[in-house]
């Protein structure tokens, strides 16, 4: 089977992290976003992956070579010379996706969930029609595009309602699809939207189905959601009793859902959790309090610091008694001085912060 | 009642040295409202700064003037308020006789002096110091005395230079640069007159000051104070508008700064000693923090042995009461005073703060630019924080997002700050539990 991952552009919404690495390589729970997806696709029997990008970050090439070997999978870039929207890239990759007659997966690179590729393929095969959209239930459907089914049919989609004012359903497009190759005939090579143009066309022919996603789902394209997505992912691991988490009985673990790379060092008298990921080579000092935060590779948190709802970028340092909170994001190689408070600061790479940031702001 | 100042003829000539007394003006409980919430527990003059009551710093200075043997505390607190302090200070400085003189109604700084003139004049002193207790400075009293003698002065006041834009908040002095003579004095002028301001520390010849106060009282009787007289926010310690002023002219409030000094400048040998040393008023509760820093720095520079020994975790100057328990991993200083029986846990950070007695500071918390009230509890990983003000600022409020807030965070008596809670630029009245993050608020 084949799959196309819609990576798109510069990942500006995830800045300042994406000023250093392309979005697919930003580690989500200690593993690059793209690797989560490739791993799940490979496990579902996918042999060819196309990354639809509109710029070609050279740093990705090396990482992808590694994944090809590790997951025994072929990965190709499909580079758009102009942005082609969400459907155009499918046409651009027609040669690969259209080879043979097996259906192919399409997924949005920002989405994290328990990727249900195997079950999705099985479901798609059973109904035998052109396309299947993974849908997830949300509490506030009015913020999204909602899927409405045909009367008396559990999965065949009748229409989409954008940001409904009245309740018409609570299932929304989760950004993961499977299509028969025939769908490529519906798409022209031009900037075009899969949601606005392709789906309504398939719908009209009664060929589009929905597949209910089990468990969590989150678009982690921006820092706030990146943190929420991390919490959901860790909770999901916890429910499964995953070995990836530090046992909740560990003295410094507080409230569970803590993932710590084996090469990270943790000081004495810390209280860590819930919902913390600590990357490789990270050094956490004594008496540090961490909750709902992500410490990326080789970052350092000095003694007695307090960190909540924050992403600490690669190689960054947080000073003693510093306090970071309210979706603070430190880019690569940022330094936060001792005793400094940062409230919702987005700090660009290589900056050194010596005075409090009292209100959410971008530090250039 | 009429005044009988010692005449020149009755003064001992040649043989014995002139005698000097000191008066410390402490005000009363109806003042000091700006020192809330700390003055709700303790009169401001007794509030500990750098390990000692504010007023004790005045005594330390007075004790360094060899010929001062007698000190009066003048105010309108009840007698019992100052008795324990007087007992202590009399032990520390056995050469001083200390008496509390209670005004039964606020008479104003000059009115109080005049009311007790018979007590002050007993033994025919030639001159006496007057110190406002809410002043924090190095009190160079011996230098004032020298200037007094060199110039054969009738009055000397201590002056300091401040930024031009804040000078009009104080009493402004125009002086002769060469002779140091005071030419003109205006309390809180509306326009710029001078950036040399009155420090609230004086040395008066007895034969100068009492007649000057008497003529001020006389002027008042003949011509009651104009209603448009500017109200005195900054020197409120000297101001109380008596309700029955017209019924009893003698008891009307007469203030040294507003009613007397300008007259002395016009007609007497009045000189100013300009100090280059530190000077601050202790008005708001927050101003205790810079005062604490200045007195600690002074103690450090003079090699005081009561300060904590500097080390990797003690950044001088720091005062720690011997009964306080500090975990060795806590990092403290600079400019911190820790009171009796305070417990400071592991990995705590404290700087630029006053921690009052019996408080408990739990592990990994951080306290900066704050005052932690008596018996308060600060939770683990809590952060109690004020904002540093410029080193030469005489204000304890700052503008944040267009709103005036207190730069120093103050917790009143028996306040609690929960684990991991952050308190920033807040003033918290006694007996409050803070369980959520708060900033820029007064918490009732």
């Amino acid at each position: 089977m084949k799959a196309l991952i819609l990576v798109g552009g510069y990942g500006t919404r995830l800045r300042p992290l994406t000023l250093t690495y392309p979005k697919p390589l930003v580690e989500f729970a200690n593993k690059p976003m793209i690797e989560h997806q490739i791993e799940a696709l490979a496990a579902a029997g996918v042999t060819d992956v196309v990354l639809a990008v509109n710029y070609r970050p050279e740093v990705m090439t090396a990482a992808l070579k590694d994944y090809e070997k590790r997951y025994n999978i072929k990965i190709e870039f499909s580079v758009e010379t102009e942005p082609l929207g969400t459907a155009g890239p499918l046409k651009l990759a027609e040669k690969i996706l259209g080879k043979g007659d097996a259906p192919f997966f399409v997924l949005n690179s920002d989405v994290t969930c328990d990727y249900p590729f195997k079950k999705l393929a099985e479901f798609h095969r059973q109904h035998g029609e052109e396309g299947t959209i993974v849908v997830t239930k949300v509490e506030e459907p009015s913020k999204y595009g909602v899927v409405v089914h045909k009367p008396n049919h559990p999965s065949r989609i009748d229409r989409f309602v954008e940001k409904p004012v009245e309740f018409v359903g609570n299932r929304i497009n989760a950004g993961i699809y499977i299509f028969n190759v025939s769908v490529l005939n519906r798409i022209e090579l031009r900037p075009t939207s899969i949601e606005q143009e392709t789906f309504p066309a398939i719908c009209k022919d009664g060929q589009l189905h929905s597949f209910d996603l089990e468990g969590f789902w989150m678009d982690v394209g921006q820092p706030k959601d990146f943190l929420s997505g991390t919490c959901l992912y860790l909770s999901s691991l916890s429910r499964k009793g995953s070995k990836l988490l530090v046992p909740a009985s560990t003295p410094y673990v507080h409230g569970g859902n803590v993932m710590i790379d084996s090469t990270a060092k943790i000081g004495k008298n810390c209280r860590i959790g819930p919902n913390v990921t600590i990357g490789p080579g990270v050094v956490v000092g004594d008496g540090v309090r961490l909750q709902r935060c992500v410490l990326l590779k080789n970052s350092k948190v000095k003694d007695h610091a307090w960190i909540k709802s924050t992403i600490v970028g690669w190689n960054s340092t947080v000073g003693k008694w510093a306090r970071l909170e309210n979706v603070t994001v430190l880019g690569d190689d940022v330094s936060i001085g001792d005793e400094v408070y940062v409230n919702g600061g987005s700090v660009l790479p290589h900056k050194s912060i010596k005075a409090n940031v009292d209100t959410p702001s971008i530090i250039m | 009642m009429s005044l009988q100042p010692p005449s020149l003829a009755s003064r001992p000539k040649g043989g014995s040295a002139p005698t000097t007394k000191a008066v410390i003006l402490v005000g009363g409980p109806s003042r000091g409202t700006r020192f809330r919430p700390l003055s709700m527990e303790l009169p401001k003059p007794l509030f500990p700064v750098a390990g000692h009551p504010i007023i004790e710093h005045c005594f330390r200075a007075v004790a360094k003037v060899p010929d001062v043997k007698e000190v009066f505390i003048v105010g309108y607190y009840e007698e019992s308020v100052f008795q324990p302090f007087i007992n202590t200070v009399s032990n520390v400085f056995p050469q001083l006789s200390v008496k509390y003189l209670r005004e039964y109604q606020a008479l104003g700084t000059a009115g109080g002096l005049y009311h007790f003139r018979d007590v002050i004049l007993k033994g025919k002193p030639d001159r006496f110091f007057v110190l406002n207790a809410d002043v924090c400075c190095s009190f160079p009293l011996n230098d004032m005395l020298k200037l007094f003698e060199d110039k054969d002065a009738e009055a000397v006041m201590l002056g300091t230079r401040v930024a031009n834009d804040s000078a009009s908040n104080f009493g402004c002095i125009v002086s002769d640069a060469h002779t140091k003579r005071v030419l003109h004095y205006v309390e809180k002028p509306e326009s710029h007159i001078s950036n040399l301001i009155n420090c609230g520390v004086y040395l008066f010849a007895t034969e100068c000051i009492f007649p000057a106060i008497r003529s001020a009282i006389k002027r008042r009787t003949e011509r009651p104070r104009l209603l448009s007289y500017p109200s005195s926010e900054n020197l409120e310690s000297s101001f109380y508008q008596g309700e029955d002023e017209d019924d009893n002219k003698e008891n009307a409030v007469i203030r040294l700064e507003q009613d007397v000094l300008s007259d002395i400048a016009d007609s007497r040998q009045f000189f100013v000693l300009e100090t280059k040393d530190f000077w601050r008023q202790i008005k708001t509760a927050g101003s205790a923090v810079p005062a604490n820093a200045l007195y600690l720095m002074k103690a450090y520079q003079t090699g005081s042995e009561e300060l904590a020994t500097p080390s990797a975790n003690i950044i001088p100057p720091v005062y720690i009461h011997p009964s306080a328990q500090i975990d060795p991993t806590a990092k403290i200083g600079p400019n911190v005073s820790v009171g009796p029986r305070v417990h400071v846990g592991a990995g705590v950070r404290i700087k630029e703060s006053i921690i009052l007695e019996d408080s408990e500071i739990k592990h990994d918390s951080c306290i900066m630019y704050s005052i932690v009230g008596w018996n308060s509890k600060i939770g683990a990983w809590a952060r109690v924080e004020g904002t540093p003000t410029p080193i030469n600022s005489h204000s304890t409020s700052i503008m944040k997002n267009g709103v005036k807030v207190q730069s120093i965070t103050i917790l009143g008596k028996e306040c609690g700050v929960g684990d991991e809670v952050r308190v920033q630029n807040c003033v918290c009245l006694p007996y409050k539990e803070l369980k959520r993050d708060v900033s820029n608020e007064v918490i009732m």
Side-chain angles (χ1 to χ4, degrees):
Chain A
M1 286 183 82
K2 302 174 192 69
L4 178 126
I5 303 176
L6 292 162
V7 174
Y10 292 92
T12 55
R13 289 192 307 155
L14 203 55
R15 283 178 180 167
L17 299 175
T18 44
L19 291 170
T20 306
Y21 287 107
K23 190 172 59 179
L25 293 188
V26 173
E27 298 94 335
F28 176 82
N30 289 351
K31 197 192 288 184
M33 275 297 292
I34 195 92
E35 192 181 342
H36 284 277
Q37 291 160 342
I38 285 170
E39 188 182 19
L41 288 167
V46 169
T47 53
D48 292 85
V49 172
V50 180
L51 298 186
V53 294
N54 52 35
Y55 75 117
R56 184 181 192 137
E58 299 309 320
V59 282
M60 272 181 73
T61 323
L64 295 177
K65 281 241 161 62
D66 176 48
Y67 301 150
E68 283 190 317
K69 264 185 230 151
R70 242 182 317 144
Y71 299 106
N72 191 27
I73 204 167
K74 202 161 173 294
I75 304 173
E76 268 186 70
F77 279 112
S78 170
V79 184
E80 304 156 43
T81 46
E82 59 165 331
L84 293 175
T86 48
L90 274 69
K91 191 71 176 179
L92 190 66
E94 187 171 24
K95 273 193 184 135
I96 305 164
L97 299 176
K99 212 188 283 172
D101 54 7
F104 60 90
F105 296 107
V106 172
L107 59 149
N108 199 308
S109 72
D110 288 346
V111 163
T112 181
C113 64
D114 266 334
Y115 301 107
F117 296 123
K118 242 180 189 152
K119 283 185 181 166
L120 174 62
E122 183 56 31
F123 176 80
H124 184 73
R125 214 164 279 135
Q126 273 175 10
H127 70 66
E129 294 183 319
E130 203 166 6
T132 307
I133 302 177
V134 177
V135 293
T136 184
K137 284 188 207 165
V138 290
E139 286 181 354
E140 294 181 67
S142 56
K143 293 193 216 160
Y144 304 88
V146 173
V147 167
V148 181
H149 292 112
K150 296 267 190 207
N152 308 317
H153 197 286
S155 73
R156 185 171 285 125
I157 297 171
D158 180 54
R159 62 202 152 96
F160 296 87
V161 183
E162 260 318 300
K163 299 188 173 58
V165 188
E166 269 179 56
F167 184 86
V168 289
N170 60 357
R171 284 170 168 78
I172 64 155
N173 176 357
I176 298 172
Y177 325 112
I178 186 166
F179 297 116
N180 292 342
V181 288
S182 60
V183 89
L184 296 169
N185 301 327
R186 295 180 182 270
I187 303 170
E188 293 169 38
L189 190 58
R190 60 172 175 87
T192 159
S193 159
I194 203 166
E195 296 86 359
Q196 306 295 323
E197 299 184 51
T198 317
F199 288 161
I202 312 174
C203 234
K204 213 172 156 195
D205 296 345
Q207 295 277 307
L208 194 60
H209 289 257
S210 77
F211 172 86
D212 277 351
L213 180 67
E214 281 172 37
F216 73 98
W217 174 87
M218 182 62 82
D219 177 331
V220 296
Q222 47 192 338
K224 182 172 164 285
D225 298 332
F226 190 93
L227 286 166
S228 301
T230 301
C231 296
L232 294 172
Y233 176 76
L234 293 174
S235 301
S236 155
L237 289 183
S238 178
R239 270 195 299 278
K240 291 179 199 156
S242 169
K243 292 246 171 9
L244 293 169
L245 298 183
V246 181
S249 57
T250 312
Y252 59 73
V253 170
H254 184 82
N257 298 0
V258 174
M259 175 185 280
I260 301 179
D261 187 272
S262 60
T263 59
K265 290 194 183 76
I266 309 295
K268 291 174 286 182
N269 304 319
C270 290
R271 190 182 289 172
I272 299 178
N275 301 310
V276 174
T277 73
I278 298 179
V282 170
V283 179
V284 175
D286 295 342
V288 168
R289 178 74 181 103
L290 303 173
Q291 55 200 309
R292 204 174 189 274
C293 66
V294 170
L295 309 185
L296 293 174
K297 192 158 54 180
N298 296 329
S299 57
K300 186 173 182 189
V301 178
K302 293 191 185 170
D303 301 348
H304 321 297
W306 186 98
I307 301 179
K308 185 179 186 178
S309 298
T310 288
I311 302 171
V312 177
W314 312 274
N315 311 303
S316 286
T317 303
V318 177
K320 291 180 179 182
W321 292 286
R323 185 178 176 112
L324 311 181
E325 64 182 322
N326 194 19
V327 197
T328 285
V329 185
L330 310 184
D332 179 35
D333 184 36
V334 164
S335 163
I336 303 294
D338 288 355
E339 298 150 22
V340 167
Y341 171 65
V342 182
N343 172 14
S346 274
V347 187
L348 271 61
H350 314 298
K351 288 296 284 188
S352 186
I353 306 296
K354 294 180 182 105
N356 286 4
V357 177
D358 280 336
T359 48
S361 46
I362 295 163
I363 293 104
M364 290 282 284
Chain B
M1 277 199 283
S2 71
L3 174 71
Q4 297 293 330
S7 69
L8 275 171
S10 67
R11 246 172 96 175
K13 286 258 177 187
S16 60
T19 56
T20 313
K21 295 189 183 186
V23 175
I24 299 172
L25 303 172
V26 293
S30 64
R31 312 198 298 225
T33 56
R34 290 213 288 157
F35 204 68
R36 286 176 184 160
L38 302 173
S39 56
M40 294 164 109
E41 312 301 329
L42 192 67
K44 183 170 75 168
L46 297 180
F47 185 82
V49 154
H52 300 278
I54 288 169
I55 190 178
E56 191 177 324
H57 295 281
C58 301
F59 273 89
R60 293 172 159 234
V62 167
K64 289 197 179 107
V65 185
D67 62 313
V68 174
K69 303 280 183 275
E70 207 175 350
V71 185
F72 304 106
I73 300 171
V74 175
Y76 48 100
Y77 291 98
E78 286 178 33
E79 278 90 349
S80 60
V81 166
F82 284 97
Q83 202 49 55
F85 171 75
I86 289 173
N87 295 344
T88 309
V89 83
S90 302
N91 284 331
V92 180
F93 306 111
Q95 77 276 23
L96 296 180
S97 151
V98 184
K99 275 199 200 75
Y100 179 62
L101 305 178
R102 182 183 178 189
E103 300 168 58
Y104 283 85
Q105 67 188 105
L107 302 170
T109 42
L113 291 176
Y114 192 74
H115 182 78
F116 292 112
R117 61 192 179 278
D118 293 342
V119 189
I120 295 168
L121 289 173
K122 201 177 165 198
K124 297 195 171 70
D126 302 274
R127 59 217 174 180
F128 63 99
F129 287 103
V130 174
L131 288 73
N132 276 294
D134 58 8
V135 161
C136 158
C137 74
S138 58
F139 296 110
L141 304 184
N142 282 313
D143 296 343
M144 290 173 72
L145 198 55
K146 185 169 184 303
L147 182 72
F148 190 91
E149 286 174 348
D150 288 353
K151 300 287 183 185
D152 201 13
E154 294 173 296
V156 166
M157 76 166 128
L158 190 67
T160 191
R161 300 273 174 193
V162 297
N164 279 343
D165 56 357
S166 60
S168 59
N169 295 321
F170 302 97
C172 291
I173 305 162
V174 181
S175 67
D176 183 304
H178 184 65
T179 64
K180 310 295 176 204
R181 177 143 182 211
V182 177
L183 304 172
H184 185 54
Y185 180 83
V186 194
E187 187 64 23
K188 295 175 96 189
E190 280 172 25
S191 56
H192 180 75
I193 285 171
S194 160
N195 67 354
L196 181 62
I197 60 134
N198 177 4
C199 291
V201 182
Y202 315 96
L203 177 57
F204 294 118
T206 47
E207 63 194 28
C208 155
I209 186 65
F210 289 115
I213 299 173
R214 190 174 45 176
S215 13
I217 293 169
K218 200 164 164 240
R219 270 202 306 280
R220 173 70 53 77
T221 317
E222 287 160 0
R223 182 167 53 87
R225 180 183 299 152
L226 296 170
L227 283 173
S228 65
Y229 215 97
S231 76
S232 164
E233 177 71 9
N234 220 10
L235 282 158
E236 70 182 47
S237 65
S238 60
F239 180 75
Y240 176 73
Q241 191 78 40
E243 280 177 8
D244 54 354
E245 190 179 10
D246 291 327
D247 301 332
N248 191 345
K249 292 289 182 338
E250 258 248 333
N251 284 332
V253 170
I254 300 289
R255 299 160 302 174
L256 214 44
E257 291 80 7
Q258 284 87 341
D259 302 323
V260 181
L261 290 186
S262 128
D263 194 35
I264 298 180
D266 284 344
S267 56
R268 299 282 194 157
Q269 290 293 312
F270 190 9
F271 293 86
V272 57
L273 179 77
E274 187 183 332
T275 177
K276 304 285 183 202
D277 222 334
F278 65 90
W279 179 83
R280 287 287 188 293
Q281 282 183 304
I282 306 175
K283 289 290 184 190
T284 61
S287 59
V289 166
N292 182 58
L294 293 167
Y295 277 138
L296 284 173
M297 194 56 77
K298 180 182 167 228
Y300 185 61
Q301 284 163 355
T302 55
S304 164
E305 289 187 359
E306 64 178 21
L307 295 186
T309 314
S311 68
N313 279 334
I314 299 285
I315 297 129
V318 169
Y319 171 83
I320 297 172
H321 191 274
S323 64
Q325 289 183 30
I326 315 285
D327 188 281
T329 61
K331 184 177 175 185
I332 301 185
N335 303 322
V336 172
S337 292
V338 179
R341 298 174 303 282
V342 167
H343 275 246
V344 175
V348 164
R349 177 77 181 103
I350 307 175
K351 73 175 189 186
E352 307 284 352
S353 294
I354 300 172
I355 313 296
L356 294 167
E357 57 192 72
D358 298 305
S359 291
E360 184 183 354
I361 317 296
K362 289 202 185 150
H363 64 89
D364 302 295
S365 58
C366 181
I367 300 172
M368 304 189 292
Y369 304 97
S370 298
I371 298 172
V372 176
W374 305 267
N375 215 6
S376 287
K377 287 191 169 41
I378 309 297
W381 286 291
R383 184 180 175 100
V384 177
E385 180 184 16
T387 304
T389 45
I391 188 78
N392 52 2
S393 168
H394 285 272
S395 167
T396 53
S397 57
I398 48 164
M399 294 302 285
K400 266 175 102 174
N401 307 322
V403 183
K404 202 171 172 186
V405 297
Q406 282 304 307
S407 59
I408 302 297
T409 286
I410 297 161
L411 304 180
K413 186 185 185 184
E414 281 188 44
C415 284
V417 175
D419 286 357
E420 306 185 29
V421 167
R422 177 171 181 267
V423 182
Q424 187 198 30
N425 295 111
C426 284
V427 175
C428 183
L429 270 60
Y431 311 109
K432 291 296 280 191
E433 289 286 328
L434 302 178
K435 295 183 181 116
R436 263 171 297 175
D437 292 0
V438 275
S439 57
N440 312 329
E441 272 184 55
V442 174
I443 298 133
M444 285 285 281

